Amino acid sequence: MTTVLTYGTFDLFHIGHVRLLSRLAELGDRLIVGVSTDEFNAGKGKHAFIPYEHRAEIVASMRSVDQVIPENNWAQKRADIITYGVDIFAIGSDWEGKFDELTDLCEVRYLERTDGISSTELKAQLAAPEPQEIERLGHALDILQQVVDNYRGLP
C-alpha cells in the first residue's frame, strides 16, 4: 500500500484544489492531507477566510482524501512521514525544492498547479473589484441616496 501525504491551507476551496487532490490520490492507495490550522497560518502572517474546522471538513469530504490531519507547524512533516508510514510526500510546484530534505524519508514530488486559479488570486480579486463593479456600486448608492432624499421629503 502506497501512502501519499500533502499539506495546504485550502482556503476558498476551488477547482485547482479538487484537481490537485485528485492527482495526488492517483499517486498511491491512501491520501493524507494536512490542513494548516488558523494558528499556524497566523504564525506565517497569513489569514484564511474560512476557519480551520470548515476547511478540514471540506477537504475530508473529497472522495480522493482518506484522512485529514492538522498542520500545526513546519517541523511536523518529518514526524508525520514516519508516523503515517508515508511513501510519497507531494505538494504543488510553487513549493519546488523547498522540501527536498525529506528525500531521506520518502519520495518527494512537486505537482504542477492548475493554470489560472489560486486562492491568492481569488483573494486579490475580492479585495480589488473590477472597475465595472465599482461603477455599478456607485450607481446603486446614487439610487439609495435618492430613496433616502425622497423619504426625508415625506410629511
Side-chain angles (χ1 to χ4, degrees):
M1 178 194 263
T2 302
T3 300
V4 179
L5 174 66
T6 194
Y7 295 87
T9 299
F10 299 99
D11 196 21
L12 301 178
F13 200 81
H14 53 71
I15 193 66
H17 293 134
V18 172
R19 291 177 181 165
L20 178 64
L21 292 172
S22 295
R23 287 184 298 153
L24 289 166
E26 291 171 1
L27 297 176
D29 305 301
R30 182 172 154 224
L31 175 59
I32 301 172
V33 180
V35 176
S36 303
T37 63
D38 295 333
E39 295 78 16
F40 182 44
N41 279 334
K44 296 186 286 184
K46 293 173 69 177
H47 172 77
F49 282 100
I50 310 297
Y52 166 77
E53 293 78 13
H54 296 187
R55 291 182 285 113
E57 187 174 335
I58 290 166
V59 171
S61 74
M62 294 287 301
R63 69 174 155 249
S64 57
V65 175
D66 296 293
Q67 184 176 357
V68 171
I69 60 173
E71 181 185 25
N72 297 303
N73 59 67
W74 292 111
Q76 82 181 66
K77 288 171 182 59
R78 293 189 78 77
D80 288 347
I81 289 168
I82 294 166
T83 299
Y84 297 104
V86 172
D87 301 291
I88 301 171
F89 172 84
I91 199 158
S93 60
D94 53 326
W95 292 97
E96 186 86 38
K98 299 267 195 300
F99 298 106
D100 290 350
E101 75 276 359
L102 300 174
T103 57
D104 63 322
L105 297 173
C106 65
E107 181 181 348
V108 176
R109 293 194 196 177
Y110 301 96
L111 278 63
E112 287 299 315
R113 298 177 61 98
T114 303
D115 283 337
I117 187 160
S118 76
S119 298
T120 303
E121 290 172 9
L122 289 173
K123 288 177 186 179
Q125 289 174 359
L126 290 169
E130 296 290 323
Q132 311 90 292
E133 186 63 25
I134 293 172
E135 188 175 319
R136 280 193 292 251
L137 287 170
H139 181 67
L141 288 173
D142 289 342
I143 291 171
L144 284 171
Q145 187 61 54
Q146 289 173 5
V147 169
V148 168
D149 291 346
N150 288 341
Y151 178 76
R152 285 187 181 149
L154 291 176

